[in-house]
Structures are given as C-alpha cells and as structure tokens.
Amino acid sequence: MKATFVLVHSLSVGPSTWEPVARALERRGHAAVVPDLTGVAGGGPPYWPRVVEAVRAAAPETPIVLAGHSNAGLLLPVIREGLGERVVSCLFADAHLPPASGLVRVAEEGFLPFLRELADESGVLPRWTDWWSEEDVAALLPDPATRARVIEEQPRLPLAYYTQPIPIPAGWDTVRCACLWYGPPYDTVAEEAARRGWPVLRTPGRHLHQVVDPEGVTDALLKLSRTS
C-alpha cells in the first residue's frame, strides 16, 4: 500500500503553507493531507495532545510519511507515537529537530525575551507575520495573493505555546528520518541531522520556500522519503 504524506504545518502559521506541496504530490500520484492545526491553541496548555488528535483525525489508515515544517518538527515524535506503526518516515523541512528523548520547548531560552515583549496583557502574541517588517514578509512570500492568504489564516498563539514542555518519547527516531533545509539559520539544523546519520538535502530558499517553490520541495521530499 502506498504511503500518504501527512504534512504538518507550523502552529505559527496555517495549512496553506503546505497545500501547494500537497497538490504537487497528488499530481504525481501520491496521497497527501494537510491537517488544520489553527484551532489547537484554544483551551490552554498542554497543546501538543490536541495536535496529535487533530493529525490522527486527518490521517488515513495507510502507511504515513510525516513531514513537519519549522516548529512542527518538535511535534513529530508525539504525532508518530499517536499514529503508531503506520508511520514509516519522519521528514523535517526547515524544521527544528527534537532530541532523542526527554522534554523540549518550542522557543529557545534566548528567544523568550523577544516573545515576552510582543505578548499582550493576556499573554497572547500577535500573528507570526506581525513579528516582522512588511519587507521581510514580502521577501518570504513574494506573491501578494499567497501572502494575503497565509497572513489571513494565522492564529494568534499564546506565549504558553512556546514555553510548554513537549515530551519526546524514546525510540521515535527508529523510523527513517531525513532533513530538508532551505537556508540559514537552518544550516545548523542540517549539520545536526547529518551528525545523526540522516539523509540531508537543500532546496535553496527562504523559510516558507514550500509555498514559493512547491515543485522543488516536492522533488526533495520524494527523494528523502524514498517513495518516488
């Protein structure tokens, strides 16, 4: 049975950041789903169990290739545990790498002062694209219609999402794992993936390159997953 690609978007943005790749995969004869995780931050921490449930609800009963972008990479181990033996591969696309086991937080300690400055009195952050200048966002998403769609669907996340501890189950990385990176600062992530012995590919671009060049990113995912 052919594997289904389950494309997990960063909780900071929304499913349209993976949908062009899903369509490209389908054009090539591969099944793909993009779970919508924009509502999982409601109701307070912990948030990761709702991510797992949302992905489980969207994933078919087939072999699964999990692909996570950005901070969704830290959620792939708990998602893999939730989906069980169906997961045959975990792909990290310009994504943070989880440790082998233990606890991990979405935001590194040095980034927390920046986030705390952004949070309102209720501890809620602006939309992710509002953290940066209009020029920076336009460079990430040059097409105005695409940029508007990505901006519109973003949730406003609580600061607690970035500080919650996510448990990393031991043995999650016994399936095939691989890393796709676009550019700095994820070059250091690629180096770490290579140290772990994972296949690593680069498709040069900015952090939302899968929206800008879905065909190129699809090529890379298929190579890394060995499903083509």
Side-chain angles (χ1 to χ4, degrees):
M1 185 184 296
K2 214 168 189 179
T4 300
F5 283 79
V6 176
L7 307 174
V8 185
H9 67 80
S10 162
L11 267 69
S12 305
V13 285
S16 71
T17 55
W18 267 130
E19 284 166 357
V21 170
R23 293 193 294 270
L25 285 164
E26 289 164 356
R27 285 193 295 271
R28 302 184 196 200
H30 298 272
V33 296
V34 185
D36 186 345
L37 307 178
T38 54
V40 301
Y47 305 104
W48 64 265
R50 292 196 287 277
V51 172
V52 174
E53 287 308 308
V55 175
R56 286 178 64 183
E61 294 292 329
T62 65
I64 298 293
V65 173
L66 274 180
H69 173 247
S70 194
N71 64 58
L74 299 176
L75 295 160
L76 291 195
V78 289
I79 295 170
R80 189 232 155 163
E81 184 177 55
L83 293 175
E85 296 303 313
R86 283 180 287 161
V87 177
V88 298
S89 186
C90 289
L91 308 182
F92 295 79
D94 231 40
H96 303 300
L97 301 189
S101 62
L103 295 173
V104 69
R105 288 175 168 80
V106 173
E108 296 179 355
E109 196 64 34
F111 196 56
L112 287 178
F114 173 76
L115 293 180
R116 291 188 179 110
E117 283 291 318
L118 290 174
D120 66 16
E121 64 278 359
S122 301
V124 177
L125 293 160
R127 298 175 304 180
W128 179 74
T129 52
D130 294 332
W131 301 3
W132 321 110
S133 71
E134 288 184 19
E135 293 78 10
D136 287 341
V137 176
L140 281 172
L141 298 164
D143 176 66
T146 301
R147 185 163 67 247
R149 184 164 61 252
V150 169
I151 289 172
E152 178 63 29
E153 73 178 358
Q154 292 173 110
R156 290 188 62 199
L157 293 178
L159 177 62
Y161 167 68
Y162 293 92
T163 60
Q164 66 164 334
I166 302 169
I168 305 299
W172 70 269
D173 52 358
T174 54
V175 298
R176 176 179 173 82
C177 295
C179 175
L180 169 63
W181 65 291
Y182 306 147
Y186 286 85
D187 46 348
T188 57
V189 171
E191 290 165 4
E192 170 60 23
R195 280 194 292 271
R196 297 184 190 190
W198 298 1
V200 176
L201 279 179
R202 185 181 184 197
T203 301
R206 296 176 183 265
H207 189 47
L208 292 174
H209 192 59
Q210 72 271 21
V211 184
V212 176
D213 180 21
E215 297 294 339
V217 170
T218 298
D219 286 341
L221 292 180
L222 289 171
K223 288 176 185 175
L224 291 170
S225 66
R226 289 183 176 164
T227 64
S228 55

